[in-house]
Amino acid sequence: KLPGARGTLAKYGGRHTVTAMPGDGIGPEMIGHIRTIFKYCNAPVNFEEVQMTSTYQDGDMEEVIFAIERNGVAIKGNIESKFDDPAFVSRNVELRRRLDLWANVLHCVTIPTVPSRHKNIDIVLIRENTEGEYSGLEHESIPGVVESIKIVTQEKIERIARFAYEYAVLNGRKKVTAVHKANIQKLGDGLFLQIAKDMAKEYPTVEFDQMIVDNASMQCGLVGGPGLVSGMNFGDVHAVFETGTRNTGTGLVGKDVANPTAFIRAGVDMLRYLGCHKHADVISDALWEALTQQGFHTGDIGGSAKTTQVVEATIRNMERILPRYE
Ligand code: ADP
Ligand code: MG
């Protein structure tokens, strides 16, 4: 359940239209698997594919923005951010900024059969997507001296903090922890911490805690790498669904070895957002069975299953589970 109202969705004849942006690396293969899975469970979703990759083409960003503004919803693969090219602005960041997709929501849950540092993790990470380290304002004032400017504003801190508390209340979560670096960035992160702490008083049913980011990272651990977790981006009007970590998996392209879990879960998140809860549940249960009871694990989580084996097992499970929902 999400706080706040969002824009209208494109729905004609009982079917939703969503924008699909395959992106770079394994994105195109993964979007293909999502489309197959949606087809097998008769999810009422039409995909409108638009291309946006790191290879710059004049105007394609405008086309993507136009499509997302029309449909209200998109699912995307990641776009290479080209570390080695300082002049190249990350198109993922550009897209989030242009659509003002200010809230990034990532649900980390342990899968019992997948080895992880901690058991029973169930954490929702809520992150501001548009300012702070994402300001992207840098210049080399003289050779060898770089200034990186991190901008934070009361307005946007309040917006994301409010979102976190409202999310906690709506979803019955116990505690909100503000993760910060206010021990060093006393003004910027200090403001964030102060606002989060003050706002906690308005939510007496939610416990407040705070943690320095280094400590939080160490305590949280991982739930098993880039192939497992999905991530959602929300603005006031639009929603974009993608994988939780922004990897492209370029080295895995065409090998049928990538873990499709993160992408399939992004598809499930999107179905829930569209109100297609039955289809979301069927896919989610079917994938869970494939990963746990049936042990279809790709290489990244210690198995030898192929991508298509995970997808096919999920489809078989769906066909068995579907009648229960009819
Ligand atoms: P690259 O683009 O060089 O493959 P990334 O930064 O995109 O690297 O990904 C980091 C690592 O995570 C790589 O080793 C990549 O193979 C792996 N990885 C990314 N996505 C997946 C996935 N869906 N399943 C398994 N491994 C993945
Ligand atoms: Mg990559």
Side-chain angles (χ1 to χ4, degrees):
K1 290 192 199 129
L2 290 173
R6 303 228 133 58
T8 47
L9 302 167
K11 194 175 185 189
Y12 310 100
R15 291 181 72 83
H16 297 278
T17 301
V18 304
T19 303
M21 303 160 51
D24 288 315
I26 54 171
E29 297 165 34
M30 296 295 139
I31 296 279
H33 292 308
I34 293 171
R35 294 182 72 149
T36 307
I37 289 171
F38 276 28
K39 193 176 75 199
Y40 273 94
C41 72
N42 299 316
V45 174
N46 295 338
F47 290 85
E48 180 191 17
E49 278 203 20
V50 287
Q51 299 302 333
M52 186 164 73
T53 64
S54 56
T55 320
Y56 187 72
Q57 284 167 333
D58 228 8
D60 64 350
M61 175 64 84
E62 303 313 313
E63 201 181 311
V64 165
I65 303 261
F66 183 68
I68 299 176
E69 284 181 340
R70 191 175 48 216
N71 297 325
V73 181
I75 186 158
K76 75 182 271 284
N78 202 40
I79 300 156
E80 210 66 73
S81 10
K82 300 200 193 172
F83 288 86
D84 46 3
D85 180 358
F88 185 80
V89 179
S90 162
R91 315 202 75 192
N92 304 294
V93 174
E94 195 183 341
L95 182 77
R96 281 180 223 125
R97 191 178 301 138
R98 287 280 304 270
L99 293 171
D100 196 20
L101 296 165
W102 49 273
N104 178 234
V105 180
L106 212 146
H107 192 181
C108 287
V109 189
T110 29
I111 298 174
T113 54
V114 175
S116 60
R117 193 171 141 79
H118 301 287
K119 302 236 174 299
N120 304 320
I121 291 178
D122 179 4
I123 300 173
V124 180
L125 287 169
I126 293 173
R127 182 170 65 155
E128 216 291 331
N129 245 345
T130 60
E131 55 174 28
E133 283 77 7
Y134 285 108
S135 305
L137 297 170
E138 293 187 315
H139 58 265
E140 193 168 23
S141 30
I142 51 166
V145 181
V146 172
E147 291 180 63
S148 290
I149 302 169
K150 163 175 164 171
I151 293 184
V152 295
T153 59
Q154 179 180 346
E155 184 195 346
K156 293 193 176 172
I157 295 170
E158 282 176 353
R159 180 168 78 164
I160 196 73
R162 182 75 63 202
F163 185 96
Y165 287 110
E166 294 287 333
Y167 185 98
V169 170
L170 277 171
N171 296 281
R173 314 284 310 194
K174 295 192 292 271
K175 193 203 286 187
V176 169
T177 303
V179 178
H180 62 87
K181 190 80 182 166
N183 53 327
I184 306 294
Q185 304 195 328
K186 294 191 178 177
L187 287 181
D189 280 28
L191 182 65
F192 166 74
L193 182 55
Q194 193 55 49
I195 288 172
K197 200 188 267 176
D198 289 346
M199 200 176 281
K201 298 189 189 103
E202 298 175 43
Y203 296 90
T205 59
V206 181
E207 190 188 329
F208 173 78
D209 197 3
Q210 52 114 346
M211 239 187 221
I212 293 173
V213 62
D214 320 43
N215 182 23
S217 309
M218 193 187 71
Q219 306 257 351
C220 285
L222 286 172
V223 300
L228 284 176
V229 182
S230 56
M232 311 179 259
N233 302 283
F234 302 109
D236 293 323
V237 189
H238 313 294
V240 174
F241 298 86
E242 61 183 348
T243 55
T245 65
R246 282 105 181 223
N247 299 98
T248 53
T250 301
L252 308 175
V253 173
K255 296 186 178 146
D256 197 21
V257 294
N259 191 339
T261 304
F263 272 96
I264 297 173
R265 283 180 158 181
V268 169
D269 293 341
M270 182 174 73
L271 285 171
R272 290 202 199 286
Y273 182 78
L274 296 171
C276 302
H277 295 285
K278 181 189 91 174
H279 299 93
D281 288 346
V282 169
I283 297 173
S284 172
D285 290 357
L287 174 63
W288 187 259
E289 267 188 43
L291 292 171
T292 58
Q293 281 104 304
Q294 297 159 348
F296 284 98
H297 287 185
T298 42
D300 57 310
I301 49 173
S304 59
K306 297 282 185 193
T307 312
T308 43
Q309 287 181 292
V310 182
V311 172
E312 282 160 12
T314 303
I315 291 172
R316 279 197 303 276
N317 295 337
M318 271 180 354
E319 287 174 337
R320 192 166 28 74
I321 294 168
L322 257 172
R324 275 193 239 150
Y325 284 85
E326 308 291 11

mmCIF file of all heavy atoms in Angstrom, residues 25-26 30 78 80 83 226-228 243 245-252 257-263 298-300, ligand 1:
data_model
loop_
_atom_site.group_PDB
_atom_site.id
_atom_site.type_symbol
_atom_site.label_atom_id
_atom_site.label_comp_id
_atom_site.label_asym_id
_atom_site.label_seq_id
_atom_site.Cartn_x
_atom_site.Cartn_y
_atom_site.Cartn_z
ATOM 1 N N GLY A 25 22.315 -4.456 -21.486
ATOM 2 C CA GLY A 25 22.671 -5.721 -20.832
ATOM 3 C C GLY A 25 21.583 -6.779 -20.934
ATOM 4 O O GLY A 25 21.011 -7.000 -22.005
ATOM 5 N N ILE A 26 21.262 -7.394 -19.785
ATOM 6 C CA ILE A 26 20.271 -8.474 -19.780
ATOM 7 C C ILE A 26 18.834 -7.944 -19.791
ATOM 8 O O ILE A 26 17.891 -8.743 -19.864
ATOM 9 C CB ILE A 26 20.450 -9.406 -18.554
ATOM 10 C CG1 ILE A 26 20.434 -8.588 -17.249
ATOM 11 C CG2 ILE A 26 21.717 -10.225 -18.690
ATOM 12 C CD1 ILE A 26 20.391 -9.438 -15.985
ATOM 13 N N MET A 30 15.253 -10.097 -20.065
ATOM 14 C CA MET A 30 14.426 -10.180 -18.855
ATOM 15 C C MET A 30 13.017 -9.641 -19.104
ATOM 16 O O MET A 30 12.040 -10.220 -18.633
ATOM 17 C CB MET A 30 15.093 -9.412 -17.705
ATOM 18 C CG MET A 30 16.412 -9.995 -17.278
ATOM 19 S SD MET A 30 16.218 -11.642 -16.588
ATOM 20 C CE MET A 30 17.618 -12.445 -17.310
ATOM 21 N N ASN A 78 18.075 -1.662 -16.673
ATOM 22 C CA ASN A 78 18.980 -0.570 -16.345
ATOM 23 C C ASN A 78 19.752 -0.114 -17.578
ATOM 24 O O ASN A 78 19.957 -0.874 -18.515
ATOM 25 C CB ASN A 78 19.937 -1.024 -15.246
ATOM 26 C CG ASN A 78 20.526 0.132 -14.493
ATOM 27 O OD1 ASN A 78 19.852 1.104 -14.194
ATOM 28 N ND2 ASN A 78 21.805 0.052 -14.193
ATOM 29 N N GLU A 80 23.306 1.493 -18.874
ATOM 30 C CA GLU A 80 24.720 1.665 -18.533
ATOM 31 C C GLU A 80 25.007 3.132 -18.194
ATOM 32 O O GLU A 80 24.600 4.019 -18.944
ATOM 33 C CB GLU A 80 25.520 1.259 -19.778
ATOM 34 C CG GLU A 80 26.876 0.688 -19.526
ATOM 35 C CD GLU A 80 26.848 -0.650 -18.815
ATOM 36 O OE1 GLU A 80 26.483 -1.669 -19.426
ATOM 37 O OE2 GLU A 80 27.207 -0.654 -17.630
ATOM 38 N N PHE A 83 30.830 4.854 -16.330
ATOM 39 C CA PHE A 83 31.736 5.421 -15.319
ATOM 40 C C PHE A 83 32.887 6.199 -15.930
ATOM 41 O O PHE A 83 33.327 7.196 -15.395
ATOM 42 C CB PHE A 83 32.405 4.280 -14.526
ATOM 43 C CG PHE A 83 31.491 3.580 -13.605
ATOM 44 C CD1 PHE A 83 30.710 2.530 -14.043
ATOM 45 C CD2 PHE A 83 31.421 3.965 -12.278
ATOM 46 C CE1 PHE A 83 29.868 1.881 -13.179
ATOM 47 C CE2 PHE A 83 30.580 3.307 -11.412
ATOM 48 C CZ PHE A 83 29.794 2.258 -11.864
ATOM 49 N N PRO A 226 22.562 -8.963 -6.879
ATOM 50 C CA PRO A 226 21.767 -8.107 -7.759
ATOM 51 C C PRO A 226 20.615 -8.799 -8.478
ATOM 52 O O PRO A 226 19.770 -8.122 -9.056
ATOM 53 C CB PRO A 226 22.788 -7.599 -8.784
ATOM 54 C CG PRO A 226 23.895 -8.576 -8.746
ATOM 55 C CD PRO A 226 23.932 -9.146 -7.372
ATOM 56 N N GLY A 227 20.567 -10.107 -8.447
ATOM 57 C CA GLY A 227 19.519 -10.793 -9.209
ATOM 58 C C GLY A 227 18.227 -11.038 -8.446
ATOM 59 O O GLY A 227 17.313 -11.672 -8.964
ATOM 60 N N LEU A 228 18.145 -10.579 -7.193
ATOM 61 C CA LEU A 228 17.018 -11.023 -6.365
ATOM 62 C C LEU A 228 15.953 -9.983 -6.012
ATOM 63 O O LEU A 228 14.787 -10.324 -5.855
ATOM 64 C CB LEU A 228 17.548 -11.596 -5.036
ATOM 65 C CG LEU A 228 18.163 -12.990 -5.106
ATOM 66 C CD1 LEU A 228 18.729 -13.363 -3.743
ATOM 67 C CD2 LEU A 228 17.151 -14.030 -5.550
ATOM 68 N N THR A 243 14.879 -3.230 -11.298
ATOM 69 C CA THR A 243 15.530 -4.085 -10.314
ATOM 70 C C THR A 243 16.045 -3.202 -9.174
ATOM 71 O O THR A 243 16.261 -2.005 -9.354
ATOM 72 C CB THR A 243 16.701 -4.858 -10.957
ATOM 73 O OG1 THR A 243 17.583 -3.925 -11.569
ATOM 74 C CG2 THR A 243 16.199 -5.840 -11.996
ATOM 75 N N THR A 245 18.996 -3.243 -7.389
ATOM 76 C CA THR A 245 20.320 -2.687 -7.643
ATOM 77 C C THR A 245 20.361 -2.373 -9.118
ATOM 78 O O THR A 245 19.750 -3.066 -9.932
ATOM 79 C CB THR A 245 21.461 -3.663 -7.294
ATOM 80 O OG1 THR A 245 21.383 -4.785 -8.170
ATOM 81 C CG2 THR A 245 21.366 -4.138 -5.859
ATOM 82 N N ARG A 246 21.080 -1.314 -9.459
ATOM 83 C CA ARG A 246 21.007 -0.866 -10.842
ATOM 84 C C ARG A 246 22.172 -1.432 -11.640
ATOM 85 O O ARG A 246 23.091 -0.730 -12.018
ATOM 86 C CB ARG A 246 20.939 0.664 -10.872
ATOM 87 C CG ARG A 246 19.547 1.200 -10.542
ATOM 88 C CD ARG A 246 19.438 1.792 -9.162
ATOM 89 N NE ARG A 246 18.077 2.283 -8.866
ATOM 90 C CZ ARG A 246 17.830 3.446 -8.255
ATOM 91 N NH1 ARG A 246 18.797 4.237 -7.902
ATOM 92 N NH2 ARG A 246 16.582 3.786 -7.999
ATOM 93 N N ASN A 247 22.126 -2.741 -11.864
ATOM 94 C CA ASN A 247 23.154 -3.410 -12.655
ATOM 95 C C ASN A 247 22.606 -3.717 -14.045
ATOM 96 O O ASN A 247 21.405 -3.818 -14.225
ATOM 97 C CB ASN A 247 23.559 -4.737 -12.010
ATOM 98 C CG ASN A 247 24.124 -4.534 -10.625
ATOM 99 O OD1 ASN A 247 23.419 -4.687 -9.635
ATOM 100 N ND2 ASN A 247 25.381 -4.180 -10.556
ATOM 101 N N THR A 248 23.507 -3.890 -14.998
ATOM 102 C CA THR A 248 23.068 -4.268 -16.340
ATOM 103 C C THR A 248 23.378 -5.730 -16.658
ATOM 104 O O THR A 248 22.803 -6.293 -17.574
ATOM 105 C CB THR A 248 23.769 -3.401 -17.409
ATOM 106 O OG1 THR A 248 25.173 -3.482 -17.192
ATOM 107 C CG2 THR A 248 23.300 -1.958 -17.334
ATOM 108 N N GLY A 249 24.325 -6.328 -15.909
ATOM 109 C CA GLY A 249 24.712 -7.710 -16.166
ATOM 110 C C GLY A 249 25.182 -7.928 -17.596
ATOM 111 O O GLY A 249 24.855 -8.945 -18.222
ATOM 112 N N THR A 250 25.966 -6.992 -18.084
ATOM 113 C CA THR A 250 26.409 -7.049 -19.487
ATOM 114 C C THR A 250 27.198 -8.328 -19.793
ATOM 115 O O THR A 250 27.082 -8.893 -20.879
ATOM 116 C CB THR A 250 27.233 -5.779 -19.818
ATOM 117 O OG1 THR A 250 26.384 -4.654 -19.571
ATOM 118 C CG2 THR A 250 27.695 -5.739 -21.259
ATOM 119 N N GLY A 251 27.959 -8.801 -18.811
ATOM 120 C CA GLY A 251 28.738 -10.020 -19.005
ATOM 121 C C GLY A 251 27.879 -11.281 -19.114
ATOM 122 O O GLY A 251 28.388 -12.354 -19.446
ATOM 123 N N LEU A 252 26.596 -11.175 -18.831
ATOM 124 C CA LEU A 252 25.738 -12.371 -18.823
ATOM 125 C C LEU A 252 24.835 -12.459 -20.054
ATOM 126 O O LEU A 252 24.107 -13.436 -20.230
ATOM 127 C CB LEU A 252 24.829 -12.348 -17.576
ATOM 128 C CG LEU A 252 25.511 -12.154 -16.223
ATOM 129 C CD1 LEU A 252 24.464 -12.024 -15.114
ATOM 130 C CD2 LEU A 252 26.431 -13.329 -15.925
ATOM 131 N N VAL A 257 21.984 -17.368 -18.123
ATOM 132 C CA VAL A 257 22.421 -17.675 -16.755
ATOM 133 C C VAL A 257 21.967 -16.651 -15.713
ATOM 134 O O VAL A 257 22.076 -16.893 -14.514
ATOM 135 C CB VAL A 257 23.963 -17.818 -16.647
ATOM 136 C CG1 VAL A 257 24.450 -19.024 -17.433
ATOM 137 C CG2 VAL A 257 24.668 -16.546 -17.110
ATOM 138 N N ALA A 258 21.488 -15.489 -16.154
ATOM 139 C CA ALA A 258 21.125 -14.436 -15.189
ATOM 140 C C ALA A 258 19.942 -14.868 -14.337
ATOM 141 O O ALA A 258 19.069 -15.611 -14.781
ATOM 142 C CB ALA A 258 20.787 -13.146 -15.926
ATOM 143 N N ASN A 259 19.942 -14.394 -13.124
ATOM 144 C CA ASN A 259 18.822 -14.681 -12.223
ATOM 145 C C ASN A 259 17.646 -13.760 -12.588
ATOM 146 O O ASN A 259 17.757 -12.545 -12.495
ATOM 147 C CB ASN A 259 19.275 -14.408 -10.779
ATOM 148 C CG ASN A 259 18.286 -14.918 -9.763
ATOM 149 O OD1 ASN A 259 17.108 -15.131 -10.083
ATOM 150 N ND2 ASN A 259 18.739 -15.123 -8.549
ATOM 151 N N PRO A 260 16.508 -14.339 -12.994
ATOM 152 C CA PRO A 260 15.396 -13.489 -13.431
ATOM 153 C C PRO A 260 14.531 -12.997 -12.270
ATOM 154 O O PRO A 260 13.576 -12.240 -12.481
ATOM 155 C CB PRO A 260 14.585 -14.444 -14.318
ATOM 156 C CG PRO A 260 14.809 -15.794 -13.707
ATOM 157 C CD PRO A 260 16.205 -15.784 -13.138
ATOM 158 N N THR A 261 14.864 -13.399 -11.037
ATOM 159 C CA THR A 261 13.995 -13.106 -9.885
ATOM 160 C C THR A 261 13.717 -11.620 -9.704
ATOM 161 O O THR A 261 12.564 -11.210 -9.532
ATOM 162 C CB THR A 261 14.630 -13.679 -8.595
ATOM 163 O OG1 THR A 261 14.861 -15.069 -8.797
ATOM 164 C CG2 THR A 261 13.735 -13.486 -7.391
ATOM 165 N N ALA A 262 14.770 -10.792 -9.754
ATOM 166 C CA ALA A 262 14.587 -9.354 -9.503
ATOM 167 C C ALA A 262 13.632 -8.747 -10.530
ATOM 168 O O ALA A 262 12.752 -7.956 -10.180
ATOM 169 C CB ALA A 262 15.935 -8.641 -9.532
ATOM 170 N N PHE A 263 13.803 -9.127 -11.785
ATOM 171 C CA PHE A 263 12.923 -8.587 -12.826
ATOM 172 C C PHE A 263 11.495 -9.108 -12.677
ATOM 173 O O PHE A 263 10.537 -8.351 -12.842
ATOM 174 C CB PHE A 263 13.463 -8.924 -14.219
ATOM 175 C CG PHE A 263 14.437 -7.901 -14.743
ATOM 176 C CD1 PHE A 263 15.804 -8.088 -14.605
ATOM 177 C CD2 PHE A 263 13.987 -6.753 -15.366
ATOM 178 C CE1 PHE A 263 16.707 -7.146 -15.080
ATOM 179 C CE2 PHE A 263 14.875 -5.806 -15.856
ATOM 180 C CZ PHE A 263 16.243 -6.006 -15.712
ATOM 181 N N THR A 298 19.900 -20.110 -9.862
ATOM 182 C CA THR A 298 20.906 -19.773 -10.867
ATOM 183 C C THR A 298 22.277 -19.664 -10.187
ATOM 184 O O THR A 298 22.386 -19.711 -8.955
ATOM 185 C CB THR A 298 20.538 -18.441 -11.547
ATOM 186 O OG1 THR A 298 20.078 -17.536 -10.542
ATOM 187 C CG2 THR A 298 19.451 -18.627 -12.601
ATOM 188 N N GLY A 299 23.319 -19.491 -11.003
ATOM 189 C CA GLY A 299 24.697 -19.495 -10.499
ATOM 190 C C GLY A 299 24.986 -18.488 -9.403
ATOM 191 O O GLY A 299 25.715 -18.786 -8.457
ATOM 192 N N ASP A 300 24.404 -17.308 -9.488
ATOM 193 C CA ASP A 300 24.673 -16.247 -8.505
ATOM 194 C C ASP A 300 24.222 -16.622 -7.105
ATOM 195 O O ASP A 300 24.717 -16.074 -6.127
ATOM 196 C CB ASP A 300 23.985 -14.942 -8.937
ATOM 197 C CG ASP A 300 22.492 -15.124 -9.123
ATOM 198 O OD1 ASP A 300 22.083 -16.079 -9.818
ATOM 199 O OD2 ASP A 300 21.729 -14.328 -8.560
HETATM 200 P P1 ADP B 1 28.520 -6.070 -15.744
HETATM 201 O O1 ADP B 1 27.660 -5.094 -16.508
HETATM 202 O O2 ADP B 1 29.972 -5.878 -15.969
HETATM 203 O O3 ADP B 1 28.102 -7.511 -15.914
HETATM 204 P P2 ADP B 1 27.137 -5.162 -13.373
HETATM 205 O O4 ADP B 1 27.656 -4.040 -12.564
HETATM 206 O O5 ADP B 1 25.994 -4.863 -14.251
HETATM 207 O O6 ADP B 1 28.357 -5.766 -14.200
HETATM 208 O O7 ADP B 1 26.769 -6.328 -12.392
HETATM 209 C C1 ADP B 1 27.602 -6.642 -11.273
HETATM 210 C C2 ADP B 1 27.732 -8.128 -11.116
HETATM 211 O O8 ADP B 1 26.462 -8.694 -10.830
HETATM 212 C C3 ADP B 1 28.251 -8.824 -12.373
HETATM 213 O O9 ADP B 1 29.121 -9.854 -11.958
HETATM 214 C C4 ADP B 1 27.004 -9.391 -12.979
HETATM 215 O O10 ADP B 1 27.278 -10.531 -13.733
HETATM 216 C C5 ADP B 1 26.142 -9.707 -11.760
HETATM 217 N N1 ADP B 1 24.698 -9.651 -12.065
HETATM 218 C C6 ADP B 1 23.987 -8.565 -12.435
HETATM 219 N N2 ADP B 1 22.694 -8.886 -12.643
HETATM 220 C C7 ADP B 1 22.584 -10.210 -12.391
HETATM 221 C C8 ADP B 1 21.502 -11.147 -12.439
HETATM 222 N N3 ADP B 1 20.270 -10.793 -12.786
HETATM 223 N N4 ADP B 1 21.762 -12.433 -12.119
HETATM 224 C C9 ADP B 1 22.999 -12.816 -11.753
HETATM 225 N N5 ADP B 1 24.049 -12.000 -11.685
HETATM 226 C C10 ADP B 1 23.859 -10.702 -12.008
#
